[in-house]
Amino acid sequence: MSTAFDLLYSETEEELRSAVRALLADRCAPADVLARAETGRPHDPGLWHTLAAEIGTAGLLVPEKRGGQGAGHREAAVVLEELGRAVAPVPYLTSAVLATEILLGCDTPEAGDLLRELAAGRQVCAPALPLTQAPGAPLPSAVRDTGGGTLTGTVTSVADAVAADVLLVLADTGLYAVPAGEVALTGLVPLDLTRPLADVALGGAAGTLLADPATARAAVAGALLSGAGLLASEQLGIAQWCLTETVRHVRGRNQFNRPVGSFQALKHRLAQLWLDVASARAAARAAADALATGAPDAPLTVAVAQAYCSGVAVSAAEECVQLHGGIGMTWEHPAHLYLKRAKSDALTLGTPGHHHTLVADFAELPAP
């Protein structure tokens, strides 16, 4: 029996959207994002504090009894949608989603204490996993415990490690919390300047054990599934901004004494893009609702959302750059920020091809 998903936004979700959008409009204008990205330090600690602690978005996935807001994946999806719309340089996906979900899967006092810090927005936590780590793929095994929680090994392409206070490290003996000051970070040059990457070298770092190996791997697997499902909402936000800004531009740009948007060829392209974005919204909302309700077919729904929304975000950003003409190709125009985020998101937590394979496997579709 198929699951009936609630794709509509509730009144509470719309109020949350309004609060987040107002904050981002005031503190995260595209020119400000670009200026911070050019410095090589894109994160805005003040913006993160307001978003995570004052508005309370960092604890949306955390039950009230564990120090959070007691909301769920649908509300977190709304936040990510707005963050995608603004290409906001904040570690929400890594800390408030992935790290939080991992800690929720660890039933130890140490994990509970760290979870409360994250939910309150007092600390930032990043999983020491490659950004491309996908649900359903083998988990990395590069880190070893040499005894007493002393960890060695290197994890490549870790997102937001430079902004983290604590890293969650999956080792052969379980999951460990490692203070960021204990590790060596080697910054990489990312395609998406708003989501920095770094290689993490542990080199004998001391960690606090949070979970045994079996529990740790189950927690990480669950977090990757939730992260992929909610990433679809960020991709939806990217596509929505690109569509809105492109329509605004072609309606105001005149050529041959008429708006560029009045040409039939452009009307067709934008109409198709609108349909694609509407379909992406349905897929992203279905994934968020499936995760929120614990639907049995949540893995399939998440794989469908990722397989579809990744392509829509990229195509919307490409159309945005092209249909803005010459200014769309300039560094000063924010279109390239959205294209780079869309391209990066298409690799984050699994490529579209990986998720297409998962869809085939879950739906028991034979290969051609």
Side-chain angles (χ1 to χ4, degrees):
M1 180 182 294
S2 61
T3 304
F5 299 110
D6 181 1
L7 306 184
L8 301 178
Y9 298 98
S10 68
E11 182 178 347
T12 301
E13 290 163 6
E14 290 294 0
E15 291 174 354
L16 175 61
R17 180 197 304 282
S18 296
V20 174
R21 184 176 295 187
L23 171 66
L24 296 176
D26 182 53
R27 305 266 295 275
C28 193
D32 297 331
V33 174
L34 184 58
R36 294 192 68 89
E38 288 175 329
T39 68
R41 300 181 64 86
H43 288 120
D44 183 344
L47 173 63
W48 172 249
H49 175 76
T50 303
L51 178 71
E54 296 181 15
I55 296 181
T57 61
L60 288 176
L61 294 177
V62 182
E64 291 185 34
K65 65 180 181 180
R66 303 188 70 177
Q69 303 300 321
H73 296 85
R74 290 173 58 92
E75 290 79 7
V78 169
V79 174
L80 278 165
E81 193 177 324
E82 292 305 312
L83 295 178
R85 188 192 293 269
V87 285
V90 292
Y92 192 84
L93 178 67
T94 47
S95 185
V97 176
L98 290 173
T100 296
E101 288 276 21
I102 291 174
L103 292 173
L104 284 170
C106 301
D107 189 18
T108 60
E110 293 81 5
D113 292 342
L114 182 54
L115 184 62
R116 289 181 180 276
E117 293 295 302
L118 264 62
R122 290 189 291 266
Q123 287 194 331
V124 174
C125 191
L129 295 168
L131 183 62
T132 56
Q133 181 65 44
L139 294 176
S141 57
V143 179
R144 294 284 183 269
D145 178 9
T146 59
T150 302
L151 307 177
T152 61
T154 299
V155 185
T156 60
S157 301
V158 177
D160 295 329
V162 295
D165 301 299
V166 179
L167 296 170
L168 298 182
V169 180
L170 183 63
D172 56 340
T173 55
L175 180 74
Y176 291 84
V178 179
E182 293 278 327
V183 305
L185 300 179
T186 302
L188 305 176
V189 180
L191 173 62
D192 176 11
L193 299 177
T194 65
R195 184 169 281 158
L197 302 176
D199 290 343
V200 177
L202 292 154
T208 300
L209 183 64
L210 301 178
D212 61 76
T215 302
R217 290 186 170 271
V220 170
L224 292 173
L225 178 66
S226 294
L230 296 181
L231 179 64
S233 290
E234 179 177 289
Q235 293 164 328
L236 170 61
I238 293 169
Q240 287 177 323
W241 185 92
C242 292
L243 174 60
T244 300
E245 286 301 305
T246 304
V247 170
R248 182 193 60 78
H249 175 76
V250 299
R251 290 179 66 182
R253 171 76 172 173
N254 290 333
Q255 194 173 55
F256 305 114
N257 292 322
R258 58 187 290 192
V260 172
S262 66
F263 295 118
Q264 193 73 6
L266 295 192
K267 286 183 178 180
H268 286 169
R269 287 169 66 172
L270 290 172
Q272 182 60 54
L273 184 55
W274 184 91
L275 291 172
D276 292 341
V277 172
S279 298
R281 182 180 299 108
R285 293 303 295 166
D289 191 64
L291 292 169
T293 59
D297 55 357
L300 172 60
T301 308
V302 167
V304 169
Q306 264 306 299
Y308 187 75
C309 293
S310 290
V312 172
V314 171
S315 63
E318 289 174 342
E319 288 283 54
C320 181
V321 170
Q322 186 173 26
L323 295 183
H324 270 78
I327 64 170
M329 305 296 292
T330 62
W331 181 262
E332 292 75 16
H333 195 279
H336 69 92
L337 292 174
Y338 289 85
L339 179 58
K340 292 170 182 175
R341 173 67 72 89
K343 286 283 192 179
S344 175
D345 278 0
L347 302 176
T348 300
L349 301 177
T351 64
H354 172 80
H355 290 285
H356 276 292
T357 301
L358 291 180
V359 171
D361 292 341
F362 291 139
E364 299 181 355
L365 298 174

